[in-house]
Amino acid sequence: MINVIFTTSTGNTEHVVGVLRKYCDEKGISITTQRAEEAQPEDLLKGDVLILACGTWNTGGSEGQLHIRMDALLNGRAKDIDLNGKQVGLIALGDERYYFTGRATEHLIQFVMNHNGKMCGSPLLIMNDPSGQEGKVIKWSEKLFHVLQPQI
Ligand SMILES: Cc1cc2nc3c(=O)[nH]c(=O)nc-3n(C[C@H](O)[C@H](O)[C@H](O)COP(=O)(O)O)c2cc1C
């Protein structure tokens, strides 16, 4: 089972997660999604694979940070979690208009590394409006599940 924990303000990350979800449903891959703001540390350990998804925001007043609600989960409530080798896939969003473009990627990678997780495939980075980029999301999903089979 794939467990996606995500958050969104404008709906962009939700759109990308929706594309992934549809792909999984069509392939018969079991997937659950949960909002970061509703997640507790132990939720990060659920399922065979964890996928973290969020945009890059100006959390704390400086740009290039995790979305505030993902930051509150990963660097707040779950700051002491041990992922114990869990496989984690990452989805980050951003916009080219900002100087620290797409930096959520680095913060998510750091979280996985610092908490004993195992990166699963390369992170998916979606710049600007995700509408029209569904093909990129599907290609990434295909690659990810190729790497994961037969675990899921
Ligand atoms: C106030 C604000 C700050 C942002 N800061 C950044 C940033 O530093 N770097 C970046 O690449 N994108 C930045 N973005 C763009 C968002 O990451 C992008 O629009 C994303 O698709 C939003 O997804 P979400 O609404 O699902 O969270 C910012 C957007 C806003 C509104």
Side-chain angles (χ1 to χ4, degrees), residues 49 73 80 88 92 103 120 127-129:
V49 184
L73 173 65
D80 296 323
V88 188
R103 279 286 176 90
C120 174
M127 297 308 299
N128 309 328
D129 191 343

Side-chain angles (χ1 to χ4, degrees), residues 125-138:
L125 178 60
I126 297 287
M127 297 308 299
N128 309 328
D129 191 343
S131 297
Q133 300 193 60
E134 292 77 9
K136 188 174 173 183
V137 180
I138 290 168

Side-chain angles (χ1 to χ4, degrees), residues 17-31:
V17 169
V19 174
L20 169 67
R21 194 186 184 122
K22 188 164 174 274
Y23 172 86
C24 288
D25 288 346
E26 283 169 10
K27 297 280 171 195
I29 300 167
S30 143
I31 179 168

Side-chain angles (χ1 to χ4, degrees), residues 12 18 24 47 56 75 77 86 89 108 124 134 144 146 149:
N12 284 349
C24 288
T56 310
N75 298 322
R77 300 194 293 288
K86 189 165 196 72
L108 291 171
L124 170 64
E134 292 77 9
L144 184 77
H146 186 71
Q149 268 167 359

Side-chain angles (χ1 to χ4, degrees), residues 8-146:
T8 188
S9 282
T10 67
N12 284 349
T13 307
E14 190 169 26
H15 179 72
V16 173
V17 169
V19 174
L20 169 67
R21 194 186 184 122
K22 188 164 174 274
Y23 172 86
C24 288
D25 288 346
E26 283 169 10
K27 297 280 171 195
I29 300 167
S30 143
I31 179 168
T32 59
T33 59
Q34 184 182 32
R35 296 272 182 155
E37 49 272 38
E38 289 163 6
Q40 294 308 316
E42 56 272 19
D43 291 321
L44 294 162
L45 303 174
K46 286 183 182 161
D48 305 303
V49 184
L50 168 68
I51 294 184
L52 295 172
C54 74
T56 310
W57 281 84
N58 58 349
T59 299
S62 55
E63 290 176 1
Q65 308 301 317
L66 288 174
H67 187 291
I68 191 166
R69 295 194 288 265
M70 187 58 86
D71 185 65
L73 173 65
L74 302 186
N75 298 322
R77 300 194 293 288
K79 68 178 188 343
D80 296 323
I81 195 146
D82 181 359
L83 292 173
N84 197 19
K86 189 165 196 72
Q87 306 229 59
V88 188
L90 302 176
I91 300 176
L93 284 83
D95 194 301
E96 279 164 343
R97 284 175 295 187
Y98 294 87
Y99 180 74
F100 296 110
T101 313
R103 279 286 176 90
T105 321
E106 277 85 344
H107 295 293
L108 291 171
I109 292 173
Q110 254 178 28
F111 176 79
V112 176
M113 295 297 141
N114 293 341
H115 293 266
N116 194 21
K118 189 166 170 253
M119 285 283 303
C120 174
S122 325
L124 170 64
L125 178 60
I126 297 287
M127 297 308 299
N128 309 328
D129 191 343
S131 297
Q133 300 193 60
E134 292 77 9
K136 188 174 173 183
V137 180
I138 290 168
K139 264 198 187 141
W140 178 82
S141 309
E142 278 168 352
K143 270 197 196 154
L144 184 77
F145 300 135
H146 186 71

